[in-house]
Each structure stands twice: as C-alpha cells, then as structure tokens.
Amino acid sequence: MISETLASEFNISSKQSEDLINLIKDGNTIPFINSYRKELTNSLSYDSLQKFSEKLDYLKKLEKRKEEVTESIKNKEKLTDEIKKIIDESETLIEVDDIYNQYVEEKETKTESSKKKTLSKLANIIRFQQTEIPIEEIAKDFISKDEGIETIEDAISGSQDIIAGIVADNADFRYLIRKITLEEGKIITEPIQKEESSVYEIYYDHSEDIYNIASHKVLAINRGESEGFLKVKIEAPKDEIISYLNRHTLIDRSDNYSQDYNVVTKTYIEEAILNSYDRLIAPSIEKEIREYLTNRAEDKSIEIFSDNLEHLLMQSPTKNKVILGWYPSLYASSKLAVLDKEGKILKTSIANPLGSENNIDETKKTILDLINEYSIDLIALGDIQDSKKLEQIIANIIQGTEVKYALINQAGASAYSSSALAEIEFPDINKGHRTAISIAKRLQDPLVEFVKVDPKTIGVGQYQHDMNQEKLNESLANIIEKVVNNVGVDLNTASISLLNYVSGIDSAIATDIVRYREDNGLFKSRDELLKLDSIDSEIFKQSAGFLKVYSSDNPLDQTSIHPESYEVAKKLIEKLGYNLDDLFLEDLAIEEINFKDLSDELNVGEETLNSIAIQLKNPEIDPRDNMHKPILRSDTLLIEDLKEGMTMEGMVRNVVDFGAFIDIGVHHDGLIHISKMDKGNFVKHPSDIVSVGDIVKVKILEIDLNKNRIQLSLC
C-alpha cells in the first residue's frame, strides 16, 4: 500500500518504489542513494529522494496511527467493517483523528457518565424526531436530583449537550466544516491596544482570506499575538455552516424536499446544533486551522531558508588567492589574519584604523607591509553596521595596487571563535584572530567555513526563531548534507564540522578521523579508513565515495568514483585505450561512448558507467565553479552617492516571500519587491527569479536617507 502510494506520487514504478523503500530501510543515506544507486531510483533528483524519504516517514506514522485507532475502537466494541474501511482509506492523520474522536469516548467522571446514560434516551427521542408528545412532558420522567437533573430544563439541556457532542464528533461534518472554513473563511486581526504603536500596525483591524494569506504574514501575525500586540480569530461562514448542519441533522418528512420537519423537536435540535458549533466545533476547527496555517507557513519559510542556505553554501570558492581576513571593530583594534592559497595561516596582526590621522597612517603602513611581504591578493572585510568607514580606509590603502576587497557576511563567526571546535582547531590563537581567520576562509571556501556555525545565525531566512526548531534544524542539516556530499571532502584537510555532514559519518566518527590524522599522519588511501574501530564495512560503503584522498597511490581515490566500482572503472579505462595513471582524460568524448553496450559488457548500469566516465574526464570538477563569484571592489560607495534612476550591479543577500535584498555596495541592502521583479508580470515567488549569491543588475527606484531604505527593481 505504502509502496504503491509513493510510486504514484513520484511517478516511478512499483518495483522502483519498493527498491527505494528497501534501500532506506537498510540504512542507506540519501546522498549515497542519489550518487551510487541511480539505476534503482529512476534517477530521481536529490530533492525528490529527500521528499520520498519524508513522505515514507509520514505514511509509516499514518499506518501506525490507523492501527492504534482501529484497536481503540475495537476495544470499545464499536468497530464495524464500514468503520474499518473508512479508517483504511483515510489519507491524512487529521482524518484518522476525526474518526477516533467520533467513536472513542472521552473519559468521564462517574456522575457525568451516569447523567449521560440517563439522558441519552431523551437525547435519542429528540435526535430521531419521531415523537409528537411535547418534549417538556417527556423530560419530566428524566428528572433525578441524585444525578444533578433537578428540573425539566436540566433534562432538556443535558440531552441537547449529548446531541451537540454527537454532531461535533461527526467526522463527515468536521471534514466539510474545515473545508468550508479554509476556502471561504477569513483571518481577522485586531490590536489589543489600538493607540499603542508597534511594528504590527499594518495588522491592526486587518482581514485576509485564509486560503490566500502569505506565509510571512502568518508568521508575523503569530509573533504579534505572542508579543501581546494582536488579537487573532478565524471568521468562518457561520450561517452557511449552520444551515448545512441543520439540513443534514433534521429529518425532512416530505417527499419533495419541502423541509417538513417535526415541529416538536426542530427547535431543540437547532439549538443543540448551534451550541455544538459555537462551543465545540468552531473553537476546535479554529485551533486546527491556526495550526495548519502555521505549519504551512513554517514549511514554506523552511523551504525558502533551505534554498537560500543551499545557494549560500554553493557560492564559488575563491581559489589560488592569498587573503587578508579583517575582523573589524569600531571600539577596539581590528584583528588581521593572512592565509595562503591553501588556507594556511601565515601571519596574524592588529590595526587601529579609527580615531586620529596617525592611527590611519599606521594602519596604512601595516596593511601595505603585509601586502608586500605576503603578496596578498584580496582583503576579506567583515561586514558590520559601520563598515563603510573601514571600506573608505581600505579603498584608500589599496589605491594603486592590484589588491581588491570583498565584504563578507561575518554572522556567527564570533560565536564560532569562542566554541570548543575553534579551541581544537586554533588552540594557540586568540578569539579575535580566529574570527579574522574565519572571515578570510569564508571568502576562500564558503562551504568549509559556514558548516561550522549554526545556519540560523547566517541571516538568509525569515522568522526562523518563531518556527518549529526541530523541523527547521532537520531541514537545514539535510541541505548542508546535500551540498557537502555533492561537492565532496578532502579526507586529509576536512574539519570535524565538515566530516560530520559526510554520508554515514557522525560527530564521533568525524572526531576519530581527525585524531587518527593527528596520530598517524595523512591518510594514504580510502581503504585506510577501515583501520578505525568506529568504521565498519557499512559505514565505509556509505562514506568512502565522498571522501577524496589526494595523497593516495591509487588515482581513483582522488575521484568521486565509489570503491565498489573501481574494477569497473579500470576495465572502462582499458576499453577506452587509456592507463590508470591517465587520471585527467580531458580529450575523452563522453557523448560518443556507447554506454548501453558497455554497460551490458561490464555488467553495470548505464547511469553508473556515465558517472564514472565523467569523473575520469575531470576528477577535480567542482559544481560550485559554475556559481556566481563574490563581488570584488577597489573603491567604496555611500548611500548619499546614489541617485534615483541609476543602474548598478549587486549580489542577492537574502530571498524572502515578499522580495529579495540586494547588496549594492553601500552597506544598506536594497529591496526588490516581488512586484518589481519581472517588469510588472506576475511572479509567484521571488525564488523563481533570483537566488542567494546571484549577481544581478538593478535600477534604483527610491532612496530614503532618513530610514536608510533603498527600493530597487530588477533590470
């Protein structure tokens, strides 16, 4: 059942769905399946495989819940073939829970149970509408002071409560009311104190259709409510709902649907229905819809955050450059660190560029001396609130040289420098210089450095602290895992943080790998991993293909070819007329290879064989090389220098529901609103047009110097 559901949803065969389920069940990771089991997955994309795994988990939870509810109803001796069929055909957890609420009674006190038992007969007389005797007369027989039924009114009211409960528990009713409310209802927000100013004023006396409300608005409303500025309610089409409940509860005795109802019971039933909706159904449905809106908004925001993070991590590394990392401070000395082309620390220093002219002159001498001594190519300046002052100084210093500078997002770098990881990596270097090193490395290799910090601190999301943290952390970890394994890792230089995201490796194993390097020197082959007690054959299988060993005598260890395919790779090399030592087969015309015939001959899948050939042609291929490179500058620009109508180049810093923030070199990011992204054409979401790290051409529409706001349009 689960296999068939997944096969249909992901447009694969039942056999492929079953194979994929078994791969996941056997502990294979998504990166491993994506890279080395393509034939079994119909070459599903990485994202599709991840969604397949998530949907598989959901369906398993759904099946377990169905079993629990079936057993609970069976224990109540209420299970019928029809109810079992309804449970089996339910497609969501909410549907199953509706059935549970309908057939499994809540716990009641003895008094409540006795009273309900006494009044259930009266409730049935009213509900089934087959009496002509006035209900007041019938109710006299149900008065019982011992059970708290002291008057006729108590008896009638109690029986109506029973009817209200029956109406509220009806799964079909709840399904339709939920549907009507979602499709036709509104979310209403009002200020708790109208005269009080707040950032939520746009939501004072605000109304919006539920089905159409944007994710960022839901999260903003939630925050405004939690901070005590907003009252929030769901407004449903109540008249339509009550009319529906009446029509489906009252018995029409006519043959032509002319609404010939029993006048003796009609009023009591209508009152019970109204009571059921106001007291039981509406609050419950409102809670469900608020949860639904929040979950939907969180899922969308997590999707945006994850997409932004992926593009940030996939930024092109700056290779073969000597970099000066500059950790700026407006109150103390700036910390400096020089890194060579491989990222090794050459020098740490300090500078005091602010204050007197003498300080500026000394800083200029310090920087120029470092540039000349170490042949510095680039300066990586941490981006802070007033970094423009330092940019102007740097632009002046490098004038007449070939050196350029880049503004680097330093969010989380300071926290990293105080962490236990930083203590392990740089035990003899102070925190400030560790931060300078981190800033330089973020320009040199963003992926290697950003994996060391909490991704929520990097600033490429929206309302990330207001959402389900477990769900957010899991999604972000999946994205980091995806990128790390897509790029690959140098086994002999990777940090614990980076190794921790390699397929099959956890923090304990990553620590063991680093300790092994420290005790035994560099790894000389992939097979050497099996000398570690924490790595067995299964962990080796999951991880080996993503760990490259450039010091190995086996050239294949430097590629992304999995060791299980080495023999196939060697045979392919021989078939193509090369030797194993010819690692870079740059003249290899892959498009001319008949992979179908070769795959039959070598007993391996076509997709796997094609992947091997690509690695043989260029084992050092880095998917980040095709991404946008950071903007390098030689001079600075102030917001006061901008003019409306100017066109310029900028880098996308963050993408959110309502637009994108663009770094145009004046510290204050400009905003391209979603309405200004495609020359007035409808844009479903900004991420359809731009991504974090993109270099874009923009036009300045409006400048507000008082609020440091810049409105842009995409050219």
Side-chain angles (χ1 to χ4, degrees), residues 631 637 641-651 662-666 672 676 679 695-703 710-715:
I631 296 177
L637 189 67
D641 298 327
L642 302 179
K643 303 293 182 186
E644 292 180 5
M646 285 178 63
T647 58
M648 54 201 315
E649 195 173 63
M651 174 180 282
I662 313 297
D663 173 13
I664 55 174
V666 296
I672 306 178
K676 304 296 181 183
K679 300 178 181 177
I695 306 300
V696 295
K697 190 173 182 181
V698 296
K699 180 179 180 180
I700 298 175
L701 299 179
E702 184 180 336
I703 304 167
I710 308 166
Q711 299 292 329
L712 307 171
S713 66
L714 200 59
C715 293

Side-chain angles (χ1 to χ4, degrees), residues 538-600:
E538 184 59 34
I539 293 172
F540 181 82
K541 183 182 81 170
Q542 297 298 318
S543 61
F546 306 104
L547 298 167
K548 298 181 181 181
V549 185
Y550 294 101
S551 55
S552 175
D553 291 335
N554 183 351
L556 296 179
D557 280 351
Q558 302 175 35
T559 73
S560 293
I561 299 171
H562 197 282
E564 67 183 10
S565 297
Y566 279 5
E567 289 305 314
V568 171
K570 291 174 184 176
K571 291 177 182 178
L572 178 62
I573 291 171
E574 292 176 4
K575 287 284 182 185
L576 297 175
Y578 294 92
N579 296 314
L580 182 59
D581 292 334
D582 300 327
L583 189 58
F584 289 89
L585 310 183
E586 295 180 355
D587 58 340
L588 180 63
I590 292 178
E591 65 279 358
E592 296 179 5
I593 298 175
N594 187 331
F595 285 111
K596 186 178 188 308
D597 291 346
L598 274 176
S599 68
D600 293 338

Side-chain angles (χ1 to χ4, degrees), residues 259-278:
Q259 298 182 356
D260 178 14
Y261 301 131
N262 187 323
V263 294
V264 172
T265 56
K266 179 175 180 289
T267 300
Y268 297 107
I269 291 176
E270 288 178 337
E271 289 174 352
I273 288 172
L274 186 60
N275 174 39
S276 177
Y277 180 75
D278 288 340

Side-chain angles (χ1 to χ4, degrees), residues 6 15 25 113-114 119 142 206 262 284 368 429 454 456 470 474 491 504 537 660 700:
L6 290 168
K15 175 69 166 57
K25 180 182 177 182
S113 179
S114 177
L119 292 176
F142 293 91
H206 182 75
N262 187 323
S284 175
L368 286 175
I429 297 177
D454 183 349
K456 295 193 293 295
E470 182 179 352
E474 182 180 356
L491 180 58
S537 59
I700 298 175

